[in-house]
Amino acid sequence: MRVKLQVLLVYLKALSSVVALGANIICNKIPGLAPRQRALCQSRPDAIIVIGEGAQQGINECQYQFRYGRWNCSALGERTVFGQELRVGSREAAFTYSITAAGVAHSVTAACSQGNLSQCGCDREKQGYHDQEEGWKWGGCSANIKYGVEFSRRFVDAREIKKNARRLMNLHNNEAGRKVNSQQYPATSHSH
């Protein structure tokens, strides 16, 4: 029994090394990642796909919102959803930054609730909640919005390295997107 356990431990260590090597290779091939984003990608390879989906959701929403305008977000995401697409500080850049940060926060929040990310899950603050007046008890998986917003903050804001006015504007716009996302995230409940 002890020999089998040792063989299993050696196998798991080798497997984790392969996974780490794979994450390293994948994360190094994604264009436009800042060093802190690359480090987060390598430490959380399960999250990089979710981050990409969230950024793509933001771009899709941007294209939908401006589908009849002169500027319709069509150039966003052609090379990468992580790269710095808009170099000029403008209303379009502000919207792009905010909608992308919101998309990442939303996507990470949803992945947590669905059990698709390894280091998060349902919001535990609402589990076991019982409303005496209404006569119902919380029995579902509440969206872990705080985790999604914090993860978005760590990943999306990691691009902002230089200490200048544009950095402050981008951080403000990222936070605005996350705030709107937090306020509009659908709260679903299952009563028992």
Side-chain angles (χ1 to χ4, degrees), residues 11-22:
Y11 176 75
L12 289 176
K13 285 181 184 178
L15 183 62
S16 67
S17 296
V18 170
V19 170
L21 179 62

Side-chain angles (χ1 to χ4, degrees), residues 90-152:
S90 63
R91 292 178 298 179
E92 292 83 4
F95 187 81
T96 302
Y97 276 81
S98 65
I99 197 91
T100 303
V104 170
H106 182 271
S107 186
V108 169
T109 299
C112 287
S113 296
Q114 296 163 0
N116 294 337
L117 289 178
S118 61
Q119 296 180 7
C120 63
C122 301
D123 186 356
R124 299 201 185 278
E125 289 182 19
K126 292 191 172 110
Q127 288 181 337
Y129 177 77
H130 181 69
D131 189 323
Q132 300 261 345
E133 276 183 36
E134 302 275 331
W136 57 269
K137 182 178 179 182
W138 183 259
C141 179
S142 180
N144 196 341
I145 299 168
K146 288 180 187 175
Y147 185 88
V149 166
E150 184 54 37
F151 195 94
S152 171

Side-chain angles (χ1 to χ4, degrees), residues 27-101:
C27 296
N28 286 334
K29 289 193 180 279
I30 299 173
L33 289 181
R36 287 190 306 176
Q37 288 175 318
R38 194 169 312 286
L40 190 57
C41 172
Q42 291 168 348
S43 68
R44 295 290 314 276
D46 61 332
I48 199 65
I49 292 171
V50 174
I51 293 166
E53 289 170 351
Q56 190 61 55
Q57 282 177 356
I59 291 169
N60 292 346
E61 183 63 23
C62 184
Q63 291 172 347
Y64 176 78
Q65 293 296 327
F66 291 99
R67 65 192 177 277
Y68 301 121
R70 260 177 76 188
W71 180 77
N72 60 11
C73 312
S74 61
L76 298 177
E78 287 179 354
R79 286 182 31 246
T80 172
V81 293
F82 303 116
Q84 185 176 359
E85 299 289 338
L86 300 171
R87 303 207 187 284
V88 178
S90 63
R91 292 178 298 179
E92 292 83 4
F95 187 81
T96 302
Y97 276 81
S98 65
I99 197 91
T100 303

